[in-house]
Amino acid sequence: MTRHVEPEVFLVARPQLDFDELARYLHEVGGESWLERLDRDQLTPQDLAEFAGRLCYRSFEPGLNPNVNRIRTDQDAYLRNILASSHGSVLEHISFSFVLHNVSRVLTHELVRHRPGVAISQESLRYVRLADIPFWFPDWARQDPELMKRASELLDRMEEFQTWAAQHFGLDDDGADFGLKKHRTSFMRRFAPEGVATGLVWTANVRTLRNTIEARTAEGAEEEIRLVFNRIGEIMRQEAPSLFGDYVVENGAWIPAWRKV
């Protein structure tokens, strides 16, 4: 029986800063007063963005750089200026890792087009044998009885083939060779639809996240990837409000105040 699944997003990793090492570096170059504005027990990814930006201009405090007579002391204002001035390179130091669960290979094929600043580890259907065909149906499709009947019949046949092929190849027989299992499983995956649900770890830096959220929530983007990146946008606005708070959401499209950062 066809199993409907919903795409899910899990934030599984975020940057971790070392207060003592920051302090050791600032002791060498000056600027220890900047650390006084931070909470050593609650350092955030935004602190890393600010640190990287200030290092570029040696602007941790006035006087370190003779060209800098005054500095912004409010982090939110400082990071807004980073965005407004398109100083996006400092955002590349901040990476977040997500598990995208029950997303289709339609989505993953589109996602691989975003390559800079990204790392991907995807479930391998060469090794992971399909016992069923988990599948996401958008709401409009689920409201069409005839469409659902015909689509479910197709998916049921594909599931039946997977079960039949595993038995035909003896993949669960005692002593079945793993090399044979891998070879036959690789063949069997060819009879699964592109919409079969899969999973991957997707890591991206903030600069890439900003561009991808904008591109993949745009009105013309594919509907599943729009759904997923709306959720990623919501997560990032909570994680780094100063770096993602400039977006306005209109009909599901995330529109930044500053583009091409």
Side-chain angles (χ1 to χ4, degrees):
M1 190 67 180
T2 303
R3 180 163 62 92
H4 171 77
V5 294
E6 286 290 335
E8 295 185 73
V9 178
F10 302 87
L11 175 61
V12 297
R14 55 177 63 83
Q16 182 177 351
L17 283 72
D18 188 318
F19 185 94
D20 293 330
E21 284 296 287
L22 290 174
R24 195 162 73 89
Y25 166 76
L26 291 172
H27 179 73
E28 291 288 324
V29 302
E32 292 97 326
S33 63
W34 177 71
L35 284 176
E36 296 173 4
R37 301 200 299 272
L38 306 183
D39 183 341
R40 74 173 294 144
D41 297 320
Q42 293 186 356
L43 296 176
T44 73
Q46 295 185 159
D47 296 329
L48 178 56
E50 183 182 356
F51 172 79
R54 292 192 184 281
L55 184 149
C56 292
Y57 301 103
R58 202 177 294 180
S59 61
F60 295 103
E61 59 186 46
L64 295 178
N65 176 356
N67 288 334
V68 176
N69 297 318
R70 61 188 179 87
I71 63 170
R72 293 178 176 84
T73 58
D74 178 74
Q75 185 179 85
D76 187 59
Y78 180 86
L79 293 177
R80 280 201 307 270
N81 185 63
I82 288 286
L83 296 176
S85 60
S86 299
H87 193 9
S89 63
V90 303
L91 306 183
E92 295 178 9
H93 299 290
I94 314 164
S95 292
F96 292 82
S97 295
F98 303 87
V99 170
L100 307 185
H101 176 56
N102 282 334
V103 296
S104 72
R105 295 177 88 84
V106 172
L107 183 147
T108 63
H109 292 346
E110 295 212 6
L111 195 56
V112 296
R113 297 173 184 170
H114 300 276
R115 294 182 294 276
V118 165
I120 299 172
S121 297
Q122 183 168 338
E123 179 183 62
S124 171
L125 294 187
R126 188 183 184 195
Y127 290 88
V128 179
R129 194 198 322 164
L130 293 169
D132 57 5
I133 308 290
F135 204 88
W136 173 71
F137 289 94
D139 289 341
W140 64 263
R142 298 177 74 185
Q143 294 168 8
D144 186 330
E146 183 63 20
L147 173 64
M148 290 300 296
K149 176 178 178 294
R150 291 175 178 269
S152 296
E153 288 172 352
L154 283 173
L155 293 173
D156 287 344
R157 288 292 306 277
M158 292 180 188
E159 288 183 354
E160 290 171 7
F161 176 81
Q162 296 294 324
T163 300
W164 174 85
Q167 295 173 345
H168 180 71
F169 296 135
L171 301 189
D172 292 320
D173 292 353
D174 290 340
D177 178 70
F178 184 77
L180 173 71
K181 290 183 178 182
K182 182 176 69 172
H183 182 267
R184 297 297 192 268
T185 298
S186 181
F187 172 78
M188 291 159 60
R189 66 178 167 170
R190 296 173 181 271
F191 298 90
E194 195 169 24
V196 64
T198 186
L200 71 158
V201 178
W202 187 72
T203 299
N205 67 49
V206 165
R207 193 178 202 176
T208 295
L209 277 166
R210 284 184 57 89
N211 293 331
T212 309
I213 288 169
E214 179 186 4
R216 292 306 182 174
T217 61
E219 191 171 352
E222 204 277 333
E223 61 186 317
E224 183 190 9
I225 206 167
R226 290 193 82 196
L227 183 156
V228 167
F229 273 89
N230 260 284
R231 294 178 183 170
I232 290 176
E234 291 167 357
I235 290 170
M236 292 313 305
R237 190 145 59 180
Q238 290 182 334
E239 289 288 318
S242 295
L243 298 177
F244 290 87
D246 60 303
Y247 286 83
V248 175
V249 182
E250 295 181 359
N251 298 320
W254 285 60
I255 304 167
W258 296 286
R259 284 189 163 95
K260 297 183 179 179
V261 173

